[in-house]
């Protein structure tokens, strides 16, 4: 048999049952400490945000905003702080905030500027403890500039890399260890 078959026909256009409407503006972030937001989580009382790859220590915090996008609290990271934060996510139970320090714009350079490990922090949403840092490491020779963090139903972090034409999903091969300096593979 020669020629295309119906098995390769284009899928029909999806049926939309609800008419789309314009979104509603909630608030505008204007604080100069928040000049390059990378992650945001909506909560009942406002928003939680992080700044991306800042070099200014006063910007290297987890910021809590009210419903008018004004800073009401800021929590410092444990350790030396982040290098290139990219995303935030709440645990499935809504009690734990995860922060992804997974960016690496120098991932393809061999001049010593790329990262050997990436990190995730987790902290109670109620702010009763400072964020705890966990280091992770890609397989040998693998470096990426990741942009997104997901969690499994068991709160295992999944790192989503960005690549031209594809994305990769990485899961830790062992339980997270807050004392690891080498990084959990």
């Amino acid at each position: 048999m020669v020629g295309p078959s119906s098995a390769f026909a284009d899928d029909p256009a999806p049926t939309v049952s609800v008419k789309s409407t314009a979104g509603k503006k909630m608030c505008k972030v204007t604080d100069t400490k928040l000049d390059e937001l990378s992650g945001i989580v909506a909560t009942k009382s406002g928003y939680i945000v992080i700044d991306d790859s800042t070099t200014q220590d006063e910007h290297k915090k987890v910021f809590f905003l009210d419903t008018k996008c004004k800073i009401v609290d800021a929590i410092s990271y444990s350790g030396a702080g982040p290098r290139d934060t990219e995303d935030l996510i709440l645990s499935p139970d809504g009690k734990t905030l995860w922060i992804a320090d997974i960016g690496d714009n120098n991932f393809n350079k061999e001049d010593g500027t790329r990262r050997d490990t990436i990190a995730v922090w987790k902290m109670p949403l109620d702010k009763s403890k400072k964020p705890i840092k966990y280091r992770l490491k890609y397989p040998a020779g693998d470096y990426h500039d990741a942009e997104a963090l997901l969690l499994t139903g068991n709160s295992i972090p999944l790192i989503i890399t960005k690549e031209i034409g594809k994305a990769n999903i990485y899961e830790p091969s062992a339980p997270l260890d807050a004392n690891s300096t080498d990084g959990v593979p």
Side-chain angles (χ1 to χ4, degrees), residues 55-131:
T55 58
Q56 300 176 39
D57 286 341
E58 64 271 14
H59 294 215
K60 291 183 177 185
K61 296 182 180 190
V62 181
F63 293 94
F64 292 79
L65 311 180
D66 62 17
T67 56
K68 295 182 179 164
C69 288
K70 302 297 179 206
I71 296 174
V72 294
D73 202 359
I75 306 294
S76 297
Y77 292 89
S78 60
R83 288 181 59 184
D84 190 4
T85 49
E86 296 294 352
D87 203 7
L88 294 171
I89 193 167
L90 282 177
S91 61
D93 65 7
K95 294 180 180 179
T96 304
L97 179 68
W98 289 79
I99 305 135
D101 184 13
I102 56 176
D104 187 4
N105 293 333
N106 296 316
F107 76 96
N108 60 355
K109 296 182 180 177
E110 295 187 25
D111 62 2
T113 59
R114 70 179 175 199
R115 306 169 70 146
D116 288 327
T117 62
I118 56 174
V120 294
W121 273 270
K122 72 178 196 176
M123 67 176 273
L125 188 61
D126 67 8
K127 303 179 262 184
S128 60
K129 295 180 185 174
K130 284 183 84 164

Side-chain angles (χ1 to χ4, degrees), residues 8-167:
F8 296 102
D10 290 337
D11 289 335
T15 303
V16 178
S17 59
V18 178
K19 184 178 179 180
S20 64
T21 59
K24 175 184 173 187
K25 179 180 176 180
M26 302 304 289
C27 60
K28 183 176 181 179
V29 177
T30 58
D31 195 295
T32 56
K33 290 184 188 112
L34 306 174
D35 57 356
E36 191 179 344
L37 294 183
S38 187
I40 186 167
V41 167
T43 67
K44 292 177 184 177
S45 60
Y47 307 94
I48 306 169
V49 299
I50 52 173
D51 228 21
D52 181 20
S53 54
T54 183
T55 58
Q56 300 176 39
D57 286 341
E58 64 271 14
H59 294 215
K60 291 183 177 185
K61 296 182 180 190
V62 181
F63 293 94
F64 292 79
L65 311 180
D66 62 17
T67 56
K68 295 182 179 164
C69 288
K70 302 297 179 206
I71 296 174
V72 294
D73 202 359
I75 306 294
S76 297
Y77 292 89
S78 60
R83 288 181 59 184
D84 190 4
T85 49
E86 296 294 352
D87 203 7
L88 294 171
I89 193 167
L90 282 177
S91 61
D93 65 7
K95 294 180 180 179
T96 304
L97 179 68
W98 289 79
I99 305 135
D101 184 13
I102 56 176
D104 187 4
N105 293 333
N106 296 316
F107 76 96
N108 60 355
K109 296 182 180 177
E110 295 187 25
D111 62 2
T113 59
R114 70 179 175 199
R115 306 169 70 146
D116 288 327
T117 62
I118 56 174
V120 294
W121 273 270
K122 72 178 196 176
M123 67 176 273
L125 188 61
D126 67 8
K127 303 179 262 184
S128 60
K129 295 180 185 174
K130 284 183 84 164
I132 298 171
K133 185 178 191 176
Y134 300 90
R135 292 196 177 277
L136 301 163
K137 186 171 186 120
Y138 292 115
D142 226 359
Y143 296 93
H144 301 280
D145 183 19
E147 297 288 330
L149 175 67
L150 299 176
L151 291 176
T152 67
N154 295 326
S155 290
I156 297 169
L158 301 175
I159 307 301
I160 314 303
T161 66
K162 67 175 185 179
E163 316 287 337
I164 295 175
K166 66 178 180 174

